């Protein structure tokens, strides 16, 4: 959650062919859910001394809605990119921030 009440999400995963992909979006809090109507993805970039920013391609990916609580929640998505489809996945909390209470 950003200081202006907007929300940002990103994750690192793979495409249907097993290639590394980044997914990211800027959204809003709507009825307690994190809503991202314009998710993006990128491919073509590599880290290290051979990095070429002109090789990175950004493309629309779809939508994402996160309904989270202290222990996890759900991620509901609808991808416009072939091979990803749509659905709902359970989200499991893996870490906590020290001295941050969860109501």
């Amino acid at each position: 959650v950003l200081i202006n009440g907007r929300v940002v999400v990103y994750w690192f995963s793979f495409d249907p062919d097993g290639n590394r992909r980044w997914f990211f979006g800027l959204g809003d809090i709507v009825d307690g859910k994190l809503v991202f109507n314009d998710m993006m993805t990128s491919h073509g970039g590599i880290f290290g001394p051979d990095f070429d920013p002109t090789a990175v391609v950004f493309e629309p990916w779809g939508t994402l809605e996160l309904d989270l609580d202290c222990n996890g929640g759900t991620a509901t998505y609808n991808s416009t990119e072939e091979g990803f489809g749509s659905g709902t996945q359970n989200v499991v909390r893996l870490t906590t921030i020290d001295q941050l209470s969860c109501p």
Side-chain angles (χ1 to χ4, degrees):
V1 176
L2 303 174
I3 196 165
N4 63 359
R6 307 262 354 243
V7 290
V8 65
V9 65
Y10 60 91
W11 78 94
F12 311 103
S13 189
F14 300 91
D15 69 15
D17 296 323
N19 300 304
R20 291 175 285 184
R21 291 287 286 278
W22 293 17
F23 303 88
F24 49 93
L26 182 64
D28 297 291
I29 300 173
V30 179
D31 296 328
K33 297 177 184 178
L34 310 181
V35 178
F36 304 90
N37 290 320
D38 297 306
M39 291 294 297
M40 299 290 290
T41 186
S42 66
H43 57 87
I46 61 170
F47 288 108
D50 294 329
F51 175 70
D52 177 4
T54 63
V56 179
V57 177
F58 297 97
E59 297 176 340
W61 184 79
T63 64
L64 173 68
E65 180 178 286
L66 297 173
D67 188 5
L68 305 174
D69 61 29
C70 289
N71 298 310
T74 58
T76 302
Y77 64 93
N78 184 14
S79 178
T80 56
E81 184 177 344
E82 187 175 327
F84 286 97
S86 61
T88 299
Q89 299 288 323
N90 290 324
V91 175
V92 177
R93 183 179 188 162
L94 298 177
T95 63
T96 60
I97 298 173
D98 189 32
Q99 300 178 8
L100 180 67
S101 64
C102 190

